[in-house]
Amino acid sequence: EAEGPPPAAAAGLGPLALAAAPPAGTGLNTLAPAGAHGSAGGGAPACASASAGSAADSILAAMGARRDAAVAALGHGPLVLPVSLPVRFTFPTVPPALAATPIGAVAVGSDHVLAVGAHDGAVYAFGGNSRGQLGLGARGTSACFASSHAARTTVSSGGARSPTLHTPGLSPILGPGLSSHAVELSCSALPCRVGGELLGTRIVRVSAGDGTSIAIGEDGRAWAWGCGDGGALGLGDTESHDTPVRVRFVPPTLSPSASCETTTTTTSTTTSSTTSALDEVGVPAGDGMSGPFAAGPAAGGGAPRCPARPPLEPRVIDASTCAAHTLFLAADGTVYSCGYGPSGALGLGAGIVRARTPTRVRGGLGARRAVCVSAGSAHSLVVTRSGELFSFGRGAAGRLGHGDALDRWAPQRVDALAAAGVTIRCAAAGTSFCVAVGSDGGAFAWGAGADGCLGLGPAGLLPAVSLPQRLRGPLDAEVVVAAASGHGHSLFATADGRAFACGLGANGELGVGQIGVRAEAAEIEGIRLTPSR
């Protein structure tokens, strides 16, 4: 085992975005610039950001483990140790190839990372690429931070075949000096620029999930690539795409049977067993939707139809993608969902389990406008302009914050926070838990907390906490401005520029210099940030 050295004290990281690996992800985090357009990935959008110095001062730091197919996800180049040994960075460590590159946004997926150049809006990707999530093509030209030569090394992943690890030279060459290599990439140990449809487009936000990648341009257009299982990319199919594809919010021909599905239960009279099947029908009537695009009975009776799309495509400003579904946030505060949500994670009403193209979430939210969205493993969070928090999807372990373990198929307000007079500025959905930041700087958590991800101390190491609880201990006197949640851990940023972590740190992903569980938030030493206004 090898561990990275601690960083220099009070190292300035520039504008900070907290990005934690999403549910089912490896132990990986990044601390990187956010600026006005920062985004943390994997279901943890950066709803607040920080800045220090000029854009040129902004750097990316990562901590966690590198092993097998995810060996490249920290961006430190090729392996220097036998691949059977994990390489852990228990303190934030700057990937050498990005040390001199200003980063404007970052997102962490289960085994890959997306970073956006602060000056040019270019997207750089590194890490695993088994489903095309790096966006570099199955076999094509990729611009990498590398010298003019490249090598390919085979490492064991325990799968049907060993992936090809892209291990170009370590010398970072930027701008016109970027090297191009035609290689088949199963993972890339160094950042490569994502081309295709993104070339010539300035990207301002990114999100990364379990094999999925989303990019948002400054003009409000969205692109998706990677694993398309369940329609999570919103491209109208369930195929994987290894290069960016424009997300269309208005299909050329609206076909309810092609875009929405619900689940119905049928009982076998011969075996008396209950099974679920997907039917080509839409949102049931009476789900609270109204207006010209509401769901309702199909013409001539019969099965209710799928909710229609608005006539004009929205201007997208943010997105959050996770294991099987994706949420999009439009500039006017409307929310769209796509993908697979067997327990209601899409928020489209009772029985809607799949949407292959982005579909507006209406029921429950009413006329409220959203400012923050976050997709968890099987649940979703929406924060409105008035500071209300809504949750929907799987309710196991109390992760929805309603005091029970019931599923919700449409957004429902977390009344416990409203009743206490707490308004929320941002929230993040993890594997089976959630964290949120109040307008007063308080941090809240609920859901499954046995691994310490809730940060509630030893008393909070419980399998289920069904109502939001305010974090005490080290964060009690702090003004928290941002939070991110991952597979089993949480990150927090404070107004005075410090970063804290809690939860399961088996791979060093907490960045506190130790491996193990932290039941209370511990400060990540060596990081000083100044929140942006």
Side-chain angles (χ1 to χ4, degrees):
E1 177 178 313
E3 296 188 1
L13 288 182
L16 177 69
L18 298 178
T26 55
L28 173 66
N29 291 318
T30 59
L31 304 173
H37 304 291
S39 179
C47 301
S49 59
S51 63
S54 65
D57 296 327
S58 303
I59 59 176
L60 180 147
M63 58 272 195
R66 311 189 308 171
R67 184 202 290 267
D68 298 338
V71 70
L74 293 182
H76 285 268
L79 283 174
V80 294
L81 296 175
V83 296
S84 60
L85 295 177
V87 181
R88 292 189 175 98
F89 291 84
T90 58
F91 291 95
T93 308
V94 179
L98 290 176
T101 304
I103 300 298
V106 67
V108 182
S110 60
D111 66 351
H112 74 292
V113 174
L114 303 176
V116 179
H119 293 322
D120 58 4
V123 177
Y124 300 95
F126 51 97
N129 194 39
S130 60
R131 303 302 297 271
Q133 61 263 40
L134 297 187
L136 306 176
R139 184 177 180 83
T141 299
S142 59
C144 301
F145 286 86
S147 60
S148 60
H149 69 281
R152 291 194 295 177
T153 302
T154 300
V155 298
S156 174
S157 66
R161 67 180 182 89
S162 295
T164 298
L165 175 66
H166 187 216
T167 57
L170 288 176
S171 301
I173 302 176
L174 310 182
L178 282 172
S179 299
S180 295
H181 307 288
V183 293
E184 183 176 353
L185 295 175
S186 287
C187 55
S188 178
L190 290 174
C192 295
R193 181 168 181 174
V194 182
E197 292 189 19
L198 296 191
L199 293 179
T201 300
R202 183 177 179 83
I203 300 300
V204 294
R205 286 186 180 271
V206 286
S207 182
D210 188 11
T212 55
S213 298
I214 306 291
I216 309 298
E218 65 177 355
D219 59 1
R221 293 182 295 169
W223 286 265
W225 63 96
C227 178
D229 289 354
L233 299 181
L235 300 177
D237 57 31
T238 58
E239 303 297 322
S240 294
H241 297 262
D242 53 32
T243 57
V245 179
R246 171 82 182 278
V247 179
R248 302 289 182 177
F249 284 71
V250 182
T253 301
L254 178 62
S255 174
S257 63
S259 59
C260 281
E261 295 176 354
T262 66
T263 183
T264 59
T265 302
T266 60
T267 303
S268 170
T269 57
T270 58
T271 62
S272 298
S273 62
T274 301
T275 60
S276 292
L278 290 178
D279 291 341
E280 303 292 339
V281 294
V283 177
D287 66 339
M289 299 184 184
S290 61
F293 307 108
R305 60 182 172 83
C306 177
R309 275 37 172 212
L312 298 176
E313 287 198 353
R315 181 177 181 272
V316 182
I317 60 173
D318 203 1
S320 178
T321 184
C322 196
H325 72 291
T326 300
L327 302 176
F328 293 93
L329 175 62
D332 62 0
T334 54
V335 178
Y336 297 79
S337 66
C338 61
Y340 182 60
S343 301
L346 301 183
L348 300 177
I352 294 290
V353 298
R354 194 190 312 273
R356 297 187 181 95
T357 56
T359 304
R360 184 171 173 180
V361 179
R362 289 178 175 272
L365 291 177
R368 298 175 179 88
R369 301 305 184 186
V371 295
C372 177
V373 295
S374 182
S377 61
H379 62 298
S380 302
L381 299 177
V382 173
V383 179
T384 68
R385 290 178 181 173
S386 61
E388 295 175 294
L389 177 65
F390 286 76
S391 62
F392 45 100
R394 183 173 298 166
R399 73 188 75 181
L400 298 184
H402 299 302
D404 55 42
L406 300 178
D407 298 342
R408 262 72 174 185
W409 291 83
Q412 180 174 325
R413 189 179 72 168
V414 180
D415 288 334
L417 292 171
V422 176
T423 56
I424 299 298
R425 65 180 297 172
C426 62
T431 308
S432 54
F433 69 98
C434 298
V435 294
V437 176
S439 299
D440 63 351
F444 300 83
W446 60 96
D451 52 13
C453 57
L454 303 184
L456 300 176
L461 297 176
L462 301 172
V465 177
S466 60
L467 291 172
Q469 304 293 317
R470 181 159 184 155
L471 274 65
R472 301 300 180 182
L475 288 180
D476 192 23
E478 302 292 339
V479 177
V480 180
V481 295
S485 57
H487 177 59
H489 61 287
S490 301
L491 302 175
F492 302 91
T494 64
D496 61 358
R498 291 181 290 161
F500 291 78
C502 62
L504 181 60
N507 293 305
E509 54 265 55
L510 301 185
V512 297
Q514 297 178 352
I515 294 173
V517 172
R518 287 275 184 165
E520 286 187 333
E523 185 174 358
I524 302 174
E525 299 292 342
I527 296 176
R528 289 295 181 269
L529 306 149
T530 303
S532 61
R533 295 171 176 81

